[in-house]
C-alpha cells in the first residue's frame, strides 16, 4: 500500500485581464495499493481527492476526484505492455478558467527486437475539461520510437509521432506529425 500527498502554491506572473482568477493553492491526496498479480503482471491503483483554493475573494473552491491506475504486463522476455488511466486537475492556460480536469488513457508496448535494437509503440488520449467556460478538448497522440545501441557508449534514436487535437473552440484544432532523429553518447 502507499499514499501520495502533494501541495502546491500557484502564482501566475502574467494575468490575462481582470477576470483572471487562477492564483491559489492546490492539494492532492491519494491512497492506494501496489500489487504483483502474477509473476509477469504488476499494478498500481491510487484514489483520492484534489482541491484548488483560489486566492481571489468570492471565488469558489474547486474539489474533485483524483486517481491513477496502471497495469504492467511482461508478456515475454523483452516485451512489456503498460496501460494507464488517470484523472487529475491541472493549471489552466486560459485566464477565465481556473482549472483544467484531465482524463488520461494510455497504452505502451516496449519490445527488445534484438540485444541492440528496441522499439516502443504508444498511444494516448487526454480528455480536458476547462472549468467554468464549457470548453472541452481531446488530444490524441500515437508514436513509434526506435533505439539502436551501436556501441557501449553510443546509441542512435529515432521517433515518429502524430498528434491531433479536437476542441469545442474550432480555431484550436490541430494535426501534427513530427519526426525526430538523434544520437546519445553516454560517458
Amino acid at each position: 500500500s502507499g499514499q501520495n500527498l502533494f501541495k502546491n502554491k500557484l502564482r501566475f506572473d502574467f494575468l490575462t485581464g481582470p477576470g483572471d482568477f487562477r492564483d491559489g493553492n492546490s492539494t492532492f491526496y491519494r491512497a492506494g495499493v501496489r500489487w504483483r498479480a502474477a509473476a509477469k503482471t504488476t499494478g498500481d491503483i491510487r484514489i483520492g481527492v484534489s482541491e484548488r483554493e483560489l486566492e481571489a475573494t468570492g471565488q469558489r473552491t474547486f474539489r474533485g476526484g483524483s486517481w491513477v491506475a496502471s497495469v504492467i504486463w511482461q508478456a515475454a522476455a523483452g516485451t512489456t505492455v503498460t496501460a494507464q488511466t488517470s484523472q487529475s486537475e491541472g493549471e489552466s492556460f486560459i485566464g477565465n478558467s481556473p482549472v483544467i480536469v484531465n482524463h488520461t488513457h494510455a497504452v505502451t508496448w516496449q519490445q527488445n527486437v534484438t540485444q541492440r535494437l528496441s522499439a516502443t509503440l504508444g498511444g494516448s488520449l487526454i480528455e480536458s475539461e476547462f472549468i467554468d467556460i464549457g470548453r472541452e478538448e481531446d488530444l490524441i497522440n500515437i508514436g513509434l520510437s526506435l533505439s539502436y545501441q551501436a556501441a557501449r557508449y553510443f546509441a542512435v534514436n529515432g521517433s515518429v509521432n502524430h498528434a491531433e487535437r479536437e476542441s469545442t473552440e474550432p480555431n484550436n484544432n490541430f494535426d501534427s506529425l513530427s519526426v525526430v532523429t538523434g544520437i546519445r553518447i553516454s560517458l
Side-chain angles (χ1 to χ4, degrees):
S1 71
Q3 58 190 3
N4 300 94
L5 174 64
F6 303 101
K7 192 162 186 102
N8 296 318
K9 180 163 182 67
L10 303 168
R11 184 172 160 252
F12 292 84
D13 291 330
F14 301 102
L15 301 178
T16 60
D20 192 336
F21 300 114
R22 296 177 291 160
D23 288 351
N25 297 308
S26 282
T27 305
F28 297 86
Y29 180 78
R30 293 183 189 138
V33 295
R34 290 184 180 143
W35 78 94
R36 182 172 296 278
K40 296 181 177 186
T41 307
T42 59
D44 187 0
I45 294 178
R46 311 254 172 199
I47 300 172
V49 295
S50 64
E51 179 179 274
R52 172 73 61 90
E53 189 177 312
L54 302 173
E55 288 181 354
T57 305
Q59 294 298 311
R60 71 181 177 103
T61 297
F62 173 80
R63 290 181 183 86
S66 178
W67 48 269
V68 61
S70 62
V71 174
I72 300 170
W73 177 43
Q74 294 181 329
T79 303
T80 303
V81 178
T82 304
Q84 184 175 35
T85 184
S86 66
Q87 175 179 301
S88 63
E89 70 163 49
E91 295 84 30
S92 179
F93 55 89
I94 299 174
N96 59 353
S97 176
V99 177
I100 301 173
V101 176
N102 293 310
H103 294 90
T104 304
H105 315 284
V107 176
T108 305
W109 173 36
Q110 296 173 313
Q111 180 68 51
N112 292 335
V113 181
T114 67
Q115 280 190 323
R116 293 182 180 255
L117 179 65
S118 63
T120 303
L121 177 63
S124 67
L125 168 63
I126 302 171
E127 301 168 304
S128 300
E129 176 188 356
F130 294 74
I131 300 302
D132 290 345
I133 63 171
R135 179 173 166 178
E136 295 182 1
E137 294 183 349
D138 292 340
L139 178 63
I140 299 168
N141 282 298
I142 299 171
L144 172 66
S145 63
L146 299 171
S147 180
Y148 181 72
Q149 191 73 40
R152 183 175 178 184
Y153 302 108
F154 181 76
V156 178
N157 302 303
S159 66
V160 176
N161 189 64
H162 177 262
E164 181 178 334
R165 178 171 67 193
E166 293 183 11
S167 175
T168 54
E169 298 285 325
N171 293 334
N172 292 325
N173 294 335
F174 77 85
D175 219 336
S176 74
L177 179 67
S178 62
V179 177
V180 178
T181 60
I183 58 171
R184 186 180 70 232
I185 298 172
S186 305
L187 302 176

